Amino acid sequence: MSVPEPAGGEEAKQAKEAEDAEKFSFMATVTKAPKKQIQFADDMQEFTKFPTKTGRRSLSRSISQSSTDSYSSAASYTDSSDDEVSPREKQQTNSKGSSNFCVKNIKQAEFGRREIEIAEQDMSALISLRKRAQGEKPLAGAKIVGCTHITAQTAVLIETLCALGAQCRWSACNIYSTQNEVAAALAEAGVAVFAWKGESEDDFWWCIDRCVNVDGWQANMILDDGGDLTHWVYKKYPNIFKKIRGIVEESVTGVHRLYQLSKAGKLCVPAMNVNDSVTKQKFDNLYCCRESILDGLKRTTDVMFGGKQVVVCGYGEVGKGCCAALKALGAIVYVTEIDPICALQACMDGFRVVKLSEVIRQVDVVITCTGNKNVVTREHLDRMKNSCIVCNMGHSNTEIDVTSLRTPELTWERVRSQVDHVIWPDGKRVVLLAEALALIELYNAPEGRYKQDVYLLPKKMDEYVASLHLPSFDAHLTELTDDQAKYLGLNKNGPFKPNYYRY
């Protein structure tokens, strides 16, 4: 006969956790693709040397737990903490004997390859482009240095660029979003990738520098997400920057910095604003955020949103996606806006437009997606109700004043990897959670087509991107007859809308 285990073991522990869960409520911050605020102005901070705080991870970069996760992240090795040795201290080689990379563990490559193969099944446009153009090698001779999230999905992009003839060196734009197994798979395939999940601030800039500062190899194209890579080359390697043939930037923050450079007369290379292309705005900002906001919040909080009061700060494409998703779950959604046109759109979509200060005490969830700074201040944080969730879906984490929470009266408690409780004196807890055609166009454009300025992706190429997606939906476009095309004053093959058209 077995003797029953005495009370006070695992059951008691679970009971205590349940009691704590009922006693304390929380709020969480989740970011889509947070970035460190970098200023280009001469009177702002310049990164003239590597940061010296190597012992702690920067608080300027929040944690991304939403759209940067892989489709099969539940089985991912990324969160493994079995090896705490810094990748910079390891000597690793891939199966071909190359050590031109720095990743967490090259032995994870096989698993990462399966992740990439799964992602390829849902990225028909890139795969179609790869099949159509790899024979022509339109990027032959291109030496691309990139700084984006490193996930299974971006790996498909990177390998497509390589298939089209480019040589690539890559680092991560976010210190928390890298899928280690995917980085290992890229390294095994021969891509010079320098990234791992949980980099320190010093590691972040070291990885970027390793991609740029290479003997016998000089980049002639930049693909950036947020502007950090562009800023590093511009400040540290001006001679390389002057020889860059083109920059492709895919974020609101990065594009804003490029326009600042252009306005100041300091942008000496042409740049492509991919962020404001229609396919980027609709697919990434609207449709993807419509799903990733719920995915990120559910993963980190397990909150039921039916009946919850939510305020979404900003009603651009990201805000529209967030509002639609939360409304579909039965949440009561408010919107804050500075733009009267976007505010009117929110009203017509059935949302009440308010000031944040008007609802801050009553809402259960605050979501920022403005790209601005100081949208949620310490004053707002102090006035929030117990159990309020704060989520940043914008690109820059400057929207929420997280720095103000680093004060003596507040206690920080690490509960698990990338999850911190911030505890107020009264017991309140805050849970703190942590593109290819444009390159082809810039690289192959005849001299003089693009001057030293920022350009939007041509409408014809935007339509081409959309057309690559259609076969996966078994969609069949209607073709104009010659007479119809003449009547509308259009080319039968497009573009079908003028540049000023808003979809």
Side-chain angles (χ1 to χ4, degrees):
M1 178 182 295
S2 61
V3 180
E5 300 228 348
E10 185 63 21
E11 293 181 359
K13 181 180 178 181
Q14 293 177 358
K16 180 64 169 58
E17 291 175 349
E19 180 182 350
D20 288 344
E22 293 177 357
K23 181 177 179 181
F24 298 112
S25 15
F26 55 86
M27 70 180 180
T29 62
V30 182
T31 61
K32 173 176 172 283
K35 296 296 296 177
K36 179 180 178 68
Q37 185 67 34
I38 304 294
Q39 299 289 344
F40 283 106
D42 290 338
D43 58 343
M44 298 297 180
Q45 177 184 6
E46 295 185 9
F47 290 90
T48 57
K49 61 180 180 179
F50 289 124
T52 58
K53 296 181 180 179
T54 59
R56 53 184 286 204
R57 292 174 185 174
S58 168
L59 292 175
S60 63
R61 296 175 184 276
S62 303
I63 298 168
S64 178
Q65 284 289 98
S66 53
S67 60
T68 56
D69 286 336
S70 70
Y71 293 116
S72 55
S73 58
S76 172
Y77 288 123
T78 297
D79 290 326
S80 174
S81 58
D82 59 338
D83 188 358
E84 296 301 327
V85 178
S86 170
R88 292 170 64 174
E89 300 173 6
K90 297 180 180 178
Q91 295 293 328
Q92 301 185 81
T93 58
N94 62 18
S95 62
K96 303 176 182 65
S98 172
S99 58
N100 189 19
F101 62 87
C102 188
V103 299
K104 185 69 173 179
N105 189 348
I106 190 63
K107 295 179 181 178
Q108 297 176 357
E110 184 178 351
F111 184 85
R113 178 52 53 188
R114 293 200 296 270
E115 291 269 347
I116 296 171
E117 290 171 352
I118 292 172
E120 287 177 343
Q121 298 175 16
D122 202 38
M123 303 185 73
S124 56
L126 277 177
I127 299 303
S128 177
L129 177 63
R130 189 185 297 180
K131 292 178 179 178
R132 291 187 188 186
Q134 68 178 0
E136 304 170 7
K137 301 292 183 186
L139 290 177
K143 296 180 178 179
I144 304 171
V145 58
C147 184
T148 65
H149 293 283
I150 295 183
T151 65
Q153 292 74 39
T154 54
V156 178
L157 167 63
I158 295 168
E159 294 192 335
T160 297
L161 298 176
C162 293
L164 300 185
Q167 298 178 32
C168 296
R169 298 181 68 85
W170 228 263
S171 64
C173 71
N174 182 287
I175 63 176
Y176 293 109
S177 65
T178 297
Q179 292 174 259
N180 288 332
E181 67 277 9
V182 171
L186 288 171
E188 175 61 30
V191 178
V193 55
F194 298 82
W196 59 92
K197 189 172 186 176
E199 298 170 5
S200 68
E201 185 81 359
D202 180 66
D203 292 333
F204 174 80
W205 296 110
W206 179 86
C207 288
I208 287 180
D209 197 72
R210 284 297 306 273
C211 289
V212 178
N213 187 15
V214 188
D215 291 336
W217 192 93
Q218 182 169 303
N220 53 28
M221 301 291 293
I222 292 176
L223 175 56
D224 207 357
D225 184 345
D228 285 342
L229 169 61
T230 301
H231 173 76
W232 188 258
V233 179
Y234 173 77
K235 289 294 186 183
K236 292 279 290 183
Y237 302 102
N239 290 333
I240 293 179
F241 190 79
K242 292 175 182 177
K243 297 178 181 179
I244 295 293
R245 295 179 60 171
I247 301 169
V248 174
E249 173 58 55
E250 66 152 34
S251 73
V252 174
T253 307
V255 166
H256 177 66
R257 294 166 188 163
L258 285 174
Y259 280 120
Q260 285 181 324
L261 273 181
S262 178
K263 186 176 180 180
K266 298 179 179 179
L267 184 63
C268 57
V269 299
M272 191 71 76
N273 170 6
V274 174
N275 178 73
D276 291 317
S277 65
V278 176
T279 42
K280 169 65 163 60
Q281 286 285 314
K282 296 300 181 182
F283 281 89
D284 190 17
N285 295 2
L286 175 60
Y287 302 129
C288 288
C289 288
R290 189 171 64 187
E291 299 192 20
S292 64
I293 179 62
L294 298 181
D295 175 69
L297 288 171
K298 288 290 187 181
R299 286 176 187 268
T300 53
T301 69
D302 289 324
V303 166
M304 184 174 182
F305 288 93
K308 291 290 192 300
Q309 296 190 62
V310 182
V311 58
V312 176
C313 302
Y315 202 67
E317 297 297 344
V318 174
K320 289 180 175 69
C322 293
C323 288
L326 292 162
K327 182 179 180 180
L329 288 185
I332 302 166
V333 182
Y334 304 96
V335 169
T336 71
E337 249 302 338
I338 62 169
D339 187 325
I341 295 177
C342 291
L344 180 58
Q345 286 182 307
C347 292
M348 297 301 291
D349 287 338
F351 304 110
R352 184 183 169 195
V353 178
V354 299
K355 292 183 178 180
L356 184 58
S357 58
E358 297 173 353
V359 296
I360 195 63
R361 290 186 182 276
Q362 70 192 59
V363 293
D364 303 289
V365 184
V366 178
I367 300 172
T368 61
C369 39
T370 67
N372 203 347
K373 67 177 182 178
N374 298 330
V375 177
V376 177
T377 64
R378 174 61 188 271
E379 181 183 358
H380 291 128
L381 293 165
D382 286 336
R383 293 174 60 198
M384 288 175 185
K385 64 189 290 188
N386 218 12
S387 80
C388 187
I389 298 169
V390 179
C391 164
N392 173 27
M393 284 293 287
H395 187 78
S396 176
N397 69 311
T398 56
E399 299 188 45
I400 301 169
D401 189 7
V402 177
T403 305
S404 69
L405 299 178
R406 287 284 182 182
T407 55
E409 72 272 14
L410 300 182
T411 303
W412 286 64
E413 180 182 274
R414 172 59 59 91
V415 293
R416 60 181 181 271
S417 176
Q418 302 183 14
V419 180
D420 293 293
H421 282 191
V422 183
I423 308 171
W424 263 251
D426 62 358
K428 181 178 76 172
R429 290 199 174 201
V430 176
V431 178
L432 186 63
L433 310 173
E435 277 146 267
L437 285 176
L439 286 167
I440 295 174
E441 171 68 13
L442 280 175
Y443 186 70
N444 291 285
E447 185 174 354
R449 175 183 293 178
Y450 294 107
K451 297 179 174 60
Q452 299 165 358
D453 207 345
V454 184
Y455 294 86
L456 291 173
L457 191 69
K459 179 72 67 175
K460 179 69 175 177
M461 300 193 75
D462 228 342
E463 292 178 350
Y464 180 62
V465 171
S467 71
L468 292 176
H469 284 278
L470 293 179
S472 64
F473 296 98
D474 194 26
H476 305 275
L477 283 175
T478 300
E479 295 182 5
L480 292 172
T481 65
D482 291 337
D483 190 49
Q484 289 174 325
K486 182 178 179 180
Y487 178 77
L488 293 174
L490 298 175
N491 186 306
K492 286 181 64 175
N493 298 316
F496 299 99
K497 297 289 190 297
N499 287 329
Y500 57 80
Y501 184 82
R502 294 294 177 265
Y503 291 82

